[in-house]
Amino acid sequence: MRIRIVDAFTDRPFAGNPAGVLLLDALPDGTWAFPDDRWLQRVATEVNHAETAFAHRLPEGGGADWALRWFTPATEVNLCGHATLATAHVLHSTGAHPGQVRFATRSGVLVATPEADGSLTLDFPTAPLTEVEVPDGIAKTLGTRPLAAFDTGPNVGDLLVVLDDEKTVHALAPDHRALGAHSARGIIATAEAEDPSRGYDFVSRCFFPNVGIAEDPVTGSAHTALAPYWSGRLGRPRLTGLQASPRSGRVGTELRGERTLLSGRAVTVIDGELHARPDQAVGSQSTLPASSA
């Protein structure tokens, strides 16, 4: 089977967020299904990027075109923006599915649309934000006290914290182990852009210790929570976010009520063959960690 590594939310290699993408073959009888979960998890662990996406075709005439699942090196997750963008990029660039594609996922049907400028737009559910008390101890964990905190709902599963300014976000050096106590997946830290003339309206960094990711380079799902917060603060439905990780990347957002559009580009960096097929024994060398998202 062909396996690809795609850098998402960037227009150049070695930036943005890398994702593994595996388009699964049909079964011998011509039908389509996901292999054993243990095999999927072990492939994702071997790829060792923030997410690996697995997709297979669905019968024509239904509500979606491809089934899609996402695994971190440690567990399956409910929603992943950059690996969805990466999968849509592979489908579009290889001709496997030109035009708009509908993915059946744990978070419902997600739509990816190629644009004339070469970018892709994802249609995702907007995360429901609920303001909560700033948790005790998080100031020590982050190294700074947030101005406000928000629960982002079950699909995203993060605590969104608003910080004083962009410099504070860039300077964060959190205690990653302690961060895991504050939410199901992790922490989104954000602040308003210091100078919007640089081409972005807000900055963020994302730390996901509970799914085996110390810092995620560029997180599409987090922007389904960042978009409603910053659109409400800044009074504009269309914004651009800079995720200020070492690899960095930009995500265009457009708030449409219960849906959020995320836009970006992607680049295939590696295109190779996976020789460990699903019909080979998975073995029992270790016990896989339980899902936490």
Side-chain angles (χ1 to χ4, degrees):
M1 287 179 288
R2 296 280 285 279
I3 187 166
R4 296 166 175 90
I5 304 298
V6 177
D7 290 346
F9 292 115
T10 183
D11 59 0
R12 64 188 191 280
F14 314 122
N17 201 353
V21 178
L22 188 62
L23 304 183
L24 296 164
D25 294 338
L27 299 175
D29 63 1
T31 61
W32 302 84
F34 286 110
D36 184 278
D37 285 5
R38 294 172 298 166
W39 183 86
L40 297 174
Q41 183 63 73
R42 285 182 173 154
V43 172
T45 302
E46 189 81 4
V47 172
N48 201 33
H49 284 313
E51 264 87 13
T52 297
F54 301 89
H56 70 71
R57 293 182 187 273
L58 291 172
E60 293 183 7
D65 308 301
W66 289 74
L68 177 62
R69 294 170 71 180
W70 314 277
F71 286 77
T72 77
T75 190
E76 185 172 10
V77 296
N78 292 332
L79 186 66
C80 179
H82 86 276
T84 304
L85 186 75
T87 305
H89 166 77
V90 169
L91 291 173
H92 183 62
S93 62
T94 63
H97 192 107
Q100 187 180 85
V101 57
R102 301 166 299 166
F103 294 110
T105 77
R106 278 186 168 190
S107 295
V109 175
L110 307 177
V111 180
T113 304
E115 306 294 350
D117 65 358
S119 65
L120 290 155
T121 298
L122 308 179
D123 183 340
F124 272 33
T126 300
L129 297 184
T130 304
E131 187 163 10
V132 296
E133 292 291 331
V134 174
D136 293 337
I138 199 168
K140 181 178 179 181
T141 300
L142 283 175
T144 185
R145 182 165 181 79
L147 302 174
F150 297 84
D151 179 85
T152 60
N155 283 342
V156 175
D158 297 329
L159 183 71
L160 171 66
V161 295
V162 183
L163 304 184
D164 290 314
D165 52 35
E166 181 175 342
K167 289 186 179 68
T168 304
V169 174
H170 283 282
L172 288 176
D175 178 341
H176 293 279
R177 182 176 298 180
L179 280 179
H182 297 295
S183 67
R185 182 172 69 166
I187 301 292
I188 307 167
T190 188
E192 188 173 353
E194 184 178 280
D195 181 5
S197 69
R198 294 174 181 168
Y200 55 91
D201 302 289
F202 59 89
V203 296
S204 66
R205 289 176 68 188
C206 295
F207 309 99
F208 303 141
N210 290 337
V211 292
I213 304 166
E215 179 169 4
D216 198 36
V218 190
T219 315
S221 59
H223 283 76
T224 67
L226 290 161
Y229 177 78
W230 286 112
S231 286
R233 276 276 302 271
L234 302 177
R236 289 181 285 127
R238 292 186 180 183
L239 300 170
T240 298
L242 171 71
Q243 194 153 328
S245 68
R247 289 177 64 104
S248 189
R250 299 192 184 198
V251 182
T253 67
E254 182 177 349
L255 186 63
R256 293 188 175 182
E258 294 184 354
R259 308 296 296 183
T260 294
L261 303 185
L262 308 175
S263 61
R265 297 174 182 268
V267 181
T268 300
V269 178
I270 296 173
D271 185 345
E273 273 189 4
L274 177 66
H275 291 276
R277 298 185 61 85
D279 54 4
Q280 295 176 311
V282 243
S284 56
Q285 296 95 327
S286 62
T287 302
L288 292 173
S291 173
S292 61

